[in-house]
């Protein structure tokens, strides 16, 4: 029987079910992740209790409800067919490819996008994201190794037959019924499950591992096991400080911008990857290191001008922060970012960050007013501007997390250049520019305010 529009459950509901199921699976597979969730929850509760104004602000702008369920994960796939099928799988859950990230320039032979919800209602419901990387086989220097890797990848299917059937069904009927959605979540989860049996012998694994640990991780297993899930914290510095006492070994430094009064973009840290027992073809035993736990703290999305300033200061900070221990590193990073304004009003007035505009009670009660100058409306108490949360990623930070958990210290840049066109061809669709999404959200909110105040 074909489902009707009234029979299907929303993509947001399916995404919420899937993200919760994946979190439960990862907690069972990686017990330290459960401890990480408990630590993040503890720090978040203490932060909100200590700062009631922050709690009130998050509640007012639909941020508090999503905090406890917010996660992002990361996977790595090996072929265009796998990437294109993942696009269709994520579309069932209302997740679309946003942003193009070239990690090759930072020594990681992949390029990536983030599958995520894009509209306000979907983000408020559950902002689950999957940072998805495609191995760039052309960056493998050895032709023989390239061909061997391609042949291994061609032999696997990372999707169950039921997952493929339900994706096609969702596309035909415009969604899934409740029962079909339950089966979809169960079937889709199998793509991301950990398998202790490698698909190759130890010698092949060793050869790929010697080229780059990430290549071995992508090529040598049945599927793109989820390699981390990331809860969102309100105080990443405190989580970093408490991790050792909670039995976790944190990476050396927090990735991204320094601690600020007005957080920007994204800060990330993690506990180091687990060394896990593996059985290779031929019944040889060995170990593999890939899966870890990550934490993030999100700030305001920056405009193109703001991002250019951020990138410039980040590059300038590298020499100053190189080789420093965490506290000294963060202190030097903060000094390097002294020229980046650290209050919302300046960020807004200088056009460095994106804001969403809403009427206050006074604004709703006022008669028609001149709404041409949003700053004047804010000063009169008719409008409030709140920072738009950054929903995306930073390629340098992502590479830093990957390298610290793959055991690669520096990682030299690969020869060649970013190739967005090739990535989109493999994906089977264009990726959405994240700055366009933020700009449209800001524009629409300002237009709504002006229309309401026009009477």
């Amino acid at each position: 029987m074909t489902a009707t529009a009234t029979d299907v459950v929303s993509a947001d509901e399916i995404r919420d079910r899937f993200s919760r199921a994946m979190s439960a699976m990862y907690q069972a597979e990686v017990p330290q992740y459960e401890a990480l969730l408990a630590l993040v929850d503890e720090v978040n509760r203490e932060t909100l209790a200590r700062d009631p104004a922050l709690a009130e602000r998050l509640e007012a702008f639909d941020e508090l409800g999503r905090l406890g369920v917010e996660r992002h994960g990361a996977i790595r796939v090996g072929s265009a067919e796998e990437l294109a099928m993942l696009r269709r799988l994520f579309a069932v859950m209302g997740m679309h490819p946003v942003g193009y990230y070239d990690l090759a320039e930072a020594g990681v032979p992949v390029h990536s996008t983030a599958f995520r919800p894009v509209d306000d209602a979907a983000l408020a419901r559950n902002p689950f994201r999957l940072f998805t990387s495609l191995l760039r086989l052309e960056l493998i220097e050895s032709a023989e190794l390239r061909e061997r890797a391609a042949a291994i990848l061609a032999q696997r299917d990372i999707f169950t037959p039921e997952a493929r059937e339900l994706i096609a069904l969702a596309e035909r009927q415009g969604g899934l019924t409740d029962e079909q959605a339950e089966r979809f979540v169960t079937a889709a989860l199998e793509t991301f499950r950990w398998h202790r049996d490698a698909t190759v012998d130890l010698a092949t694994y060793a050869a790929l591992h010697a080229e780059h640990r990430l290549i071995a991780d992508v090529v040598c297993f049945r599927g793109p096991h989820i390699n981390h899930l990331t809860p969102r914290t309100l105080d990443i510095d405190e989580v970093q400080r408490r991790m050792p006492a909670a039995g976790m070994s944190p990476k050396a430094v927090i990735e991204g911008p320094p601690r600020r009064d007005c957080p920007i973009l994204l800060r990330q840290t993690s506990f180091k990857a687990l060394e896990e027992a593996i059985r290779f073809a031929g019944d040889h035993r060995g170990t593999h290191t890939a899966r870890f736990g990550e934490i993030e703290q999100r700030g305001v999305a920056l405009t193109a001008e703001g991002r250019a300033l951020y990138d410039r200061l980040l590059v300038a900070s590298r020499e100053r922060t190189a080789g420093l221990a965490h506290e000294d590193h963060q202190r030097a990073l903060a000094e390097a970012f002294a020229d980046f304004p650290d209050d919302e009003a300046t960020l807004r007035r200088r056009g460095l960050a994106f804001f969403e505009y809403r009427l206050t009670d006074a604004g709703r009660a006022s008669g028609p007013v001149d709404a041409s100058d949003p700053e004047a409306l804010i000063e009169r108490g008719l409008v409030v501007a709140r920072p738009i949360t950054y929903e995306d990623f930073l390629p340098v930070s992502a590479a830093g997390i990957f390298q610290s958990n793959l055991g690669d210290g520096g990682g030299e840049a690969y020869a060649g250049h970013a190739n967005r066109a090739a990535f989109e061809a493999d994906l089977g669709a264009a990726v959405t520019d994240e700055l366009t999404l933020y700009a449209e959200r800001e524009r629409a909110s300002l237009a709504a305010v002006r229309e309401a105040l026009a009477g």
Side-chain angles (χ1 to χ4, degrees), residues 158-240:
I158 66 174
F159 305 96
T160 68
E162 186 171 30
R164 287 183 176 274
E165 291 170 8
L166 288 167
I167 291 167
L169 179 63
E171 292 169 343
R172 288 198 305 272
Q173 65 185 19
L176 298 173
T177 65
D178 184 75
E179 181 272 334
Q180 291 164 353
E182 284 298 305
R183 289 196 289 120
F184 169 82
V185 167
T186 300
L189 207 60
E190 291 304 309
T191 294
F192 307 94
R193 191 177 298 282
W194 172 250
H195 299 285
R196 296 191 182 279
D197 291 339
T199 58
V200 301
D201 58 35
L202 185 56
T204 300
Y205 174 86
L208 292 167
H209 189 279
E211 176 76 15
H212 197 291
R213 291 189 181 201
L214 183 141
I215 297 172
D217 184 59
V218 174
V219 174
C220 299
F221 296 89
R222 285 169 52 186
H225 40 256
I226 189 82
N227 59 66
H228 68 267
L229 280 178
T230 306
R232 178 180 172 187
T233 184
L234 299 172
D235 190 344
I236 198 168
D237 300 271
E238 185 61 18
V239 174
Q240 175 92 348

Side-chain angles (χ1 to χ4, degrees), residues 194-433:
W194 172 250
H195 299 285
R196 296 191 182 279
D197 291 339
T199 58
V200 301
D201 58 35
L202 185 56
T204 300
Y205 174 86
L208 292 167
H209 189 279
E211 176 76 15
H212 197 291
R213 291 189 181 201
L214 183 141
I215 297 172
D217 184 59
V218 174
V219 174
C220 299
F221 296 89
R222 285 169 52 186
H225 40 256
I226 189 82
N227 59 66
H228 68 267
L229 280 178
T230 306
R232 178 180 172 187
T233 184
L234 299 172
D235 190 344
I236 198 168
D237 300 271
E238 185 61 18
V239 174
Q240 175 92 348
R241 188 184 70 80
R242 295 189 192 183
M243 283 171 73
M248 303 170 220
S249 177
K251 71 182 298 295
V253 297
I254 295 171
E255 299 284 348
R259 185 182 184 94
R260 294 163 42 89
D261 292 333
C262 181
I264 58 172
L265 297 174
L266 175 68
R267 302 180 74 205
Q268 296 172 281
T269 190
S270 67
F271 66 70
K272 293 181 179 176
L274 310 174
E275 189 172 90
E276 301 182 83
I278 298 295
R279 183 168 58 200
F280 294 93
D283 207 30
H284 291 101
R285 306 300 171 107
T287 60
H288 179 66
T289 304
R291 300 192 299 164
F292 56 94
E294 185 180 86
I295 313 98
E296 65 182 21
Q297 182 173 355
R298 291 186 173 270
V300 62
L302 300 183
T303 63
E305 293 80 5
R307 185 57 186 271
L309 176 58
Y310 170 81
D311 289 341
R312 187 163 65 250
L313 294 176
L314 187 66
V315 169
S317 74
R318 287 177 184 164
E319 187 173 324
R320 186 182 297 192
T321 59
L324 295 180
H326 177 69
E327 290 187 8
D328 292 336
H329 176 278
Q330 291 296 296
R331 190 179 303 112
L333 188 63
E335 292 170 357
F337 271 78
D339 290 337
F340 205 111
D342 197 12
D343 66 277
E344 291 180 9
T346 305
L347 290 175
R348 191 178 64 246
R349 289 168 185 154
R350 287 182 53 183
L352 297 175
F354 290 107
F355 289 81
E356 181 180 13
Y357 296 84
R358 294 187 185 182
L359 292 176
T360 62
D361 290 340
R364 283 186 285 272
S366 76
V369 298
D370 178 6
S372 58
D373 182 1
E375 290 300 319
L377 298 174
I378 292 170
E379 290 174 10
R380 292 174 59 185
L382 303 179
V383 168
V384 64
R386 71 109 174 185
I388 295 178
T389 300
Y390 186 63
E391 306 286 354
D392 297 287
F393 297 92
L394 301 170
V396 172
S397 296
I401 293 283
F402 279 11
Q403 288 164 347
S404 68
N405 285 291
L406 290 165
D408 296 332
E412 296 182 3
Y414 281 85
H417 304 282
N419 197 336
R420 177 171 177 161
F423 183 85
E424 291 180 329
D426 290 341
L427 180 68
V431 299
T432 300
D433 177 70

Side-chain angles (χ1 to χ4, degrees), residues 109-154:
V110 300
H111 47 185
S112 316
T113 192
F115 290 96
R116 69 167 180 89
V118 294
D119 63 64
D120 292 357
L123 287 165
R125 177 74 169 83
N126 188 318
F128 182 59
R129 317 165 186 86
L130 244 297
F131 189 82
T132 302
S133 300
L134 175 64
L135 178 63
R136 297 183 68 178
L137 287 174
E138 77 275 12
L139 297 180
I140 299 176
E141 190 171 332
S142 164
E144 179 185 353
L145 208 56
R146 274 200 312 273
E147 292 168 6
R148 194 188 313 180
I152 294 166
L153 290 168

Side-chain angles (χ1 to χ4, degrees), residues 432-448:
T432 300
D433 177 70
E434 63 273 23
L435 292 184
T436 300
L437 291 176
Y438 297 124
E440 174 55 25
R441 187 169 172 184
E442 181 178 88
R443 187 207 63 76
S445 72
L446 195 53

